Amino acid sequence: LGRECIAQRYGDFDRRSQQIELLGEDCRVAGDRFALQILIENLLRNANKYCPEGARVELCIARKGAGVELCVRDDGPGIPVNERERIFERFYRAGGDRHSSGVAGCGLGLSIVSHIADLHDARLSTDVGIDGRGLAICVFFPECRLSEEQQ
């Protein structure tokens, strides 16, 4: 699913000369495929929109303990620590309605991510992104079923 989402959005990254990379391993998560696709696409779309041209973006999927962690990391401008817990609220935009990037938005993408995570009993977290810059948004799914290749 991660590969499919990157393939669907690849043109957006290419137009902005951004590097997009899939890292990690094959993992399975019990859940609604369509909803999980929306979750990944919203995270990728935000990284693409708010990072400058030439930025790096990574989608990393890996087992973590008994679960699976999916992270989208970038080396863009990031979000101040004191605003990070609010980015999952409906209609909230870091920096306000007139975001410094000039990118139009309504503040729903990460709220949808949060709702989908809740439906899958997953936890959201934020951190700094690639090489200590930018933003990382991680979704931890508490139970992982290994793909057939891993069994």
Side-chain angles (χ1 to χ4, degrees):
L1 185 59
R3 279 188 289 274
E4 289 175 24
C5 291
I6 287 175
Q8 289 174 355
R9 304 229 56 90
Y10 187 79
D12 297 336
F13 288 97
D14 189 49
R15 277 188 285 287
R16 302 201 64 221
S17 300
Q18 295 170 334
Q19 298 172 22
I20 177 71
E21 188 173 7
L22 176 62
L23 304 170
E25 55 194 304
D26 288 336
C27 297
R28 290 189 185 200
V29 172
D32 181 81
R33 189 180 204 296
F34 179 73
L36 293 172
Q37 179 179 350
I38 297 296
L39 180 143
I40 296 169
E41 286 181 357
N42 281 358
L43 292 173
L44 291 175
R45 186 177 295 117
N46 268 19
N48 172 250
K49 280 173 51 171
Y50 295 109
C51 287
E53 291 204 16
R56 290 175 40 211
V57 178
E58 298 173 345
L59 170 58
C60 185
I61 302 168
R63 283 181 281 159
K64 187 174 182 181
V68 172
E69 185 173 68
L70 179 150
C71 291
V72 173
R73 298 187 290 243
D74 63 59
D75 64 355
I79 296 175
V81 174
N82 63 335
E83 289 190 55
R84 286 188 195 156
E85 64 184 58
R86 293 203 60 206
I87 63 174
F88 300 107
E89 295 175 15
R90 279 189 307 163
F91 307 117
Y92 181 80
R93 293 189 75 205
D97 288 339
R98 304 253 183 232
H99 193 271
S100 61
S101 67
V103 175
C106 59
L108 288 175
L110 293 179
S111 173
I112 292 168
V113 165
S114 177
H115 182 69
I116 294 169
D118 286 346
L119 291 174
H120 290 84
D121 296 322
R123 291 188 314 266
L124 289 169
S125 63
T126 61
D127 204 348
V128 293
I130 301 169
D131 296 331
R133 294 189 314 248
L135 180 67
I137 298 179
C138 298
V139 187
F140 178 74
F141 299 90
E143 293 182 24
C144 171
R145 291 182 297 164
L146 301 180
S147 67
E148 290 178 14
E149 298 87 46
Q150 294 171 313
Q151 292 182 7

